[in-house]
Amino acid sequence: MLKQLLARKTDFSDADDANGPTLRRTLGPIGLTALGIGAVIGGGIFVITGQAAADHAGPAVILSFLLAAICSTFTALCYAEFATLIPVSGSAYSYAYATLGELVAWFIGWNLVLEYGVSASAVAVSWTGYFLSLLDHIGHTFSMDLSLPAALTNAPLAFTADHQLIATGALFNLPAVVLVLLLTWLCYVGIRESSLANAAMVVLKVGLIALVIVVGWRYVDPSNWHPFIPESQGHYKYGWGGVLRGAAMVFFAYIGFEATSVAAQESRNPQRDLPIGILASLAICTVLYIAMAAVMTGLSSYTLLGTNEPVVTALQGHPALGWLRWLVEVGAMLGLASVVLVMIIAQPRIFMIMGRDGMLPKVFTRIHPRYRTPHLNTLITGAGIALLAAIFPLDVLGDLVSMGTLIAFMAVCAGVWILRHTRPELPRTFRVPWAPLICSLGILSCAALLATMAWYNWGLMVLWTVIGLVIYFGYGRRHSHLHQQEMARNGV
């Protein structure tokens, strides 16, 4: 049994289904880079930045972003090498299957559900905050009451300050659900249409962020940066402990670069274009994140930024920048929507590869004959994301996503190192420089960020893992193609 659990997949020639329609290869390096930026720039820059500054790092949230970027860079290099070796849509799941065995691959694939599905829910919840702010702004401008009932704009569940789960009295988050369902329809009809919509939103939101940085810099008050690292108040609040906890929190902002690798089977030249898309999107987003964090904490005291729309909060103290509020609200909504869009693109493709390995039912492998998309997966993913966004608050979803992603990243870093030893003859069009050092630093930096997570986050993670293992041993292992091949060889 142990041998089967550690069985590795070495043949990925079945990535395209020869018995039916295949995914359409339409993405080049620009499209893949835009996909990465679309997934990265969203909830991190428009929401998590303020919460990390107010609750943990203070102005040193700038350092938190830098630490998270360094950790992500180690991992991105490993992803880039794997993307040239195994250019299929399974991302970290496929990489783990080739190096660490079936059980670990399932565990990573199950965590990718957190990374894509749950993160999309978290970002959709963030989108609601800016949507309500825009309605309020329009209402005040034109003397109209556009407010929505609180019961339809909040999560029915929330954690108290002492981490007790309580009912809020709300019904569900209606704006988040509507957003997810609309984007699910767009992903259903095609990757080209989804990619074009994402590219348009990326151009608009990057332009807006650049405008806020350039214009806002003139109004920065350097006194807001002092003390740069506020005195520690214990429990990862301020001090260097707070900076590290802030890095773990804003790590949520960087996870999207991996979504580029999920589009491998829709890339025209994945061996060449995937490393470009992964590394270029990460570099661009890191510069924008650090600059935006500096401007936000320079415009306003970090203690005021723990709101659902911290960019708007930072601007409110400067009447001369009032005209930017409209742009920020609209731009934030577009930016957050593009993240949800990319995650809805990515998750069904993970399910598709797992289904083709026999780890999930065959329904997950179907591709629409006209739209050439994993249409049933997309509907299942959209419904799940909408349900989570409807009932859970942002703080619960965000940390859980970061944990699942950090674990997946550790597996990818370990996988590159292992494959260098077990399959050194494989052609690598991109190679991680100083692989032993980079892979080790990637694993250690991810582990350091995981160590800052609260006990209740670990409890949720254990529960999530148990559910995944029940599904694996109840269905995945018995239907795994590798398991069936082994039984056939043994005459069972």
Side-chain angles (χ1 to χ4, degrees):
M1 179 176 178
L2 179 61
K3 182 180 178 181
Q4 169 60 30
L5 296 179
L6 298 178
R8 293 179 295 177
K9 183 177 180 181
T10 57
D11 181 11
F12 287 87
S13 60
D14 61 346
D16 283 323
D17 189 355
N19 298 318
T22 59
L23 299 176
R24 183 176 285 124
R25 293 187 178 274
T26 62
L27 299 177
I30 295 177
L32 290 168
T33 301
L35 200 66
I37 295 173
V40 173
I41 294 183
I45 203 164
F46 291 115
V47 180
I48 301 295
T49 303
Q51 295 180 353
D55 298 336
H56 298 290
V61 69
I62 298 169
L63 296 181
S64 296
F65 271 113
L66 185 59
L67 290 174
I70 292 171
C71 176
S72 296
T73 300
F74 295 145
T75 309
L77 291 169
C78 295
Y79 265 98
E81 178 168 323
F82 258 132
T84 65
L85 283 170
I86 309 174
V88 298
S89 295
S91 186
Y93 161 78
S94 294
Y95 307 158
Y97 214 158
T99 57
L100 301 173
E102 184 174 282
L103 179 60
V104 177
W106 171 268
F107 175 63
I108 298 303
W110 189 240
N111 280 334
L112 289 179
V113 177
L114 280 180
E115 180 174 345
Y116 296 124
V118 181
S119 68
S121 304
V123 174
V125 172
S126 303
W127 186 88
T128 297
Y130 279 95
F131 175 69
L132 296 177
S133 179
L134 179 62
L135 289 183
D136 180 66
H137 195 182
I138 295 173
H140 277 89
T141 302
F142 297 101
S143 300
M144 301 167 59
D145 182 11
L146 299 178
S147 61
L148 297 176
L152 296 178
T153 57
N154 290 287
L157 300 175
F159 271 115
T160 63
D162 57 350
H163 311 308
Q164 298 296 316
L165 188 64
I166 61 169
T168 65
L171 296 177
F172 65 98
N173 190 330
L174 177 63
V177 171
V178 172
L179 172 71
V180 171
L181 295 181
L182 287 174
L183 294 177
T184 299
W185 169 81
L186 183 60
C187 294
Y188 183 95
V189 300
I191 185 64
R192 179 178 296 165
E193 293 77 5
S194 303
S195 178
L196 289 174
N198 174 68
M201 288 188 281
V202 165
V203 169
L204 289 172
K205 70 180 178 181
V206 170
L208 167 73
I209 291 169
L211 179 64
V212 171
I213 292 170
V214 171
V215 174
W217 194 263
R218 297 172 53 195
Y219 296 86
V220 164
D221 181 0
S223 66
N224 286 325
W225 292 332
H226 298 287
F228 187 65
I229 303 179
E231 184 178 348
S232 174
Q233 297 182 17
H235 198 60
Y236 293 119
K237 184 167 186 179
Y238 309 128
W240 279 103
V243 173
L244 188 61
R245 178 67 181 91
M249 191 172 182
V250 302
F251 189 80
F252 172 82
Y254 283 102
I255 65 174
F257 76 82
E258 191 207 28
T260 304
S261 66
V262 177
Q265 286 171 251
E266 286 142 303
S267 170
R268 291 193 293 268
N269 187 352
Q271 281 84 0
R272 183 199 67 184
D273 296 343
L274 284 173
I276 295 173
I278 290 171
L279 297 174
S281 61
L282 180 60
I284 292 169
C285 294
T286 296
V287 171
L288 292 176
Y289 273 147
I290 291 175
M292 190 69 160
V295 169
M296 286 173 59
T297 54
L299 288 175
S300 173
S301 169
Y302 64 89
T303 59
L304 303 177
L305 297 179
T307 65
N308 288 330
E309 53 278 339
V311 182
V312 171
T313 302
L315 294 174
Q316 284 176 340
H318 301 271
L321 297 178
W323 60 276
L324 266 179
R325 178 176 172 180
W326 287 96
L327 295 176
V328 167
E329 288 165 340
V330 174
M333 289 171 59
L334 289 174
L336 296 169
S338 73
V339 176
V340 178
L341 175 66
V342 174
M343 297 305 174
I344 297 176
I345 291 173
Q347 182 62 68
R349 285 147 181 83
I350 298 292
F351 283 151
M352 180 186 69
I353 294 298
M354 295 177 75
R356 287 181 176 175
D357 288 334
M359 308 279 266
L360 291 174
K362 286 186 178 181
V363 66
F364 288 95
T365 68
R366 296 180 184 174
I367 295 176
H368 196 285
R370 175 185 174 188
Y371 299 128
R372 307 272 289 277
T373 60
H375 57 300
L376 295 179
N377 284 357
T378 300
L379 294 178
I380 294 169
T381 298
I385 291 171
L387 178 63
L388 289 175
I391 62 177
F392 286 107
L394 175 64
D395 53 353
V396 174
L397 297 173
D399 279 343
L400 199 58
V401 170
S402 292
M403 292 185 73
T405 306
L406 284 164
I407 292 170
F409 282 7
M410 291 172 71
V412 171
C413 291
V416 165
W417 199 353
I418 291 171
L419 212 59
R420 286 288 187 93
H421 290 282
T422 59
R423 299 293 301 277
E425 78 285 357
L426 292 177
R428 293 165 168 84
T429 57
F430 179 88
R431 296 177 65 90
V432 176
W434 309 295
L437 176 63
I438 296 298
C439 293
S440 298
L441 290 174
I443 294 170
L444 291 173
S445 58
C446 288
L449 296 183
L450 275 172
T452 69
M453 294 295 180
W455 64 266
Y456 61 89
N457 289 324
W458 283 104
L460 291 172
M461 191 67 198
V462 169
L463 176 61
W464 179 259
T465 300
V466 169
I467 294 172
L469 290 176
V470 169
I471 296 173
Y472 172 70
F473 286 105
Y475 182 91
R477 181 177 176 274
R478 291 188 294 110
H479 293 83
S480 161
H481 291 172
L482 282 185
H483 178 59
Q484 293 178 348
Q485 290 167 9
E486 181 67 22
M487 291 179 65
R489 282 194 295 267
N490 295 332
V492 178

